[in-house]
Every structure is written in C-alpha cells, then in structure tokens.
Amino acid sequence: MAARDFTAVASWGGLHALPAVSAVSDEHSAWQHDRFAVDGLGAERIQVVRRAAEGVALAASYGEEDEASIGTARRLLLALATDGTFRTPI
C-alpha cells in the first residue's frame, strides 16, 4: 500500500493543536531554520527552500513525484540554497 493510504494532512494539523506536539514541532522548525542560517542563508531563501522541499516531500508521499522529478527538485533546491556552489552528488 502507498504511504498516502496511512496518513492525512488534516490529522497532522489537528495534532499540532496539542501544546506538547506544538512545542516539539516549533522546536524542530527553529532548529531547521538555525541550520540554514548557519550556512549563511537569508530568511527569505530559508523560507522558499524549506517550504519547497516540504511540498516535494508531501507530493512524493502521495505518489505525485517520481525519482526523476525528485532529483530535479533536489538539484534546484541545493543550487538555490548554496548560490550554485553545491557540487557533491547526493
């Protein structure tokens, strides 16, 4: 069965309303933001790269992205996150 058969975005949104879950989620989000900032990314670029990566991941979980399109997105997001200086293949 596909991952999309076992999850629903609405369920996760409801969980975020729980204070304990929200606190962990907020802490994780701040940690991710800080890691990008340490790499020298500005707030706007952090937002675009993170949200685009999250969107690709969600679409992939629903079977809407294949390996080739995920690879293309990865390359473009790495280029955006590094001003085109990222060269090591993943």
Side-chain angles (χ1 to χ4, degrees), residues 10-53:
S11 298
W12 290 107
L15 286 174
H16 197 270
L18 299 171
V21 173
S22 181
V24 170
S25 178
D26 291 348
E27 182 180 331
H28 185 256
S29 182
W31 179 86
Q32 285 185 325
H33 187 276
D34 291 347
R35 299 289 65 81
F36 278 117
V38 166
D39 286 341
L41 271 68
E44 295 85 3
R45 196 171 291 215
I46 292 170
Q47 177 190 18
V48 169
V49 169
R50 281 191 60 200
R51 299 307 179 214

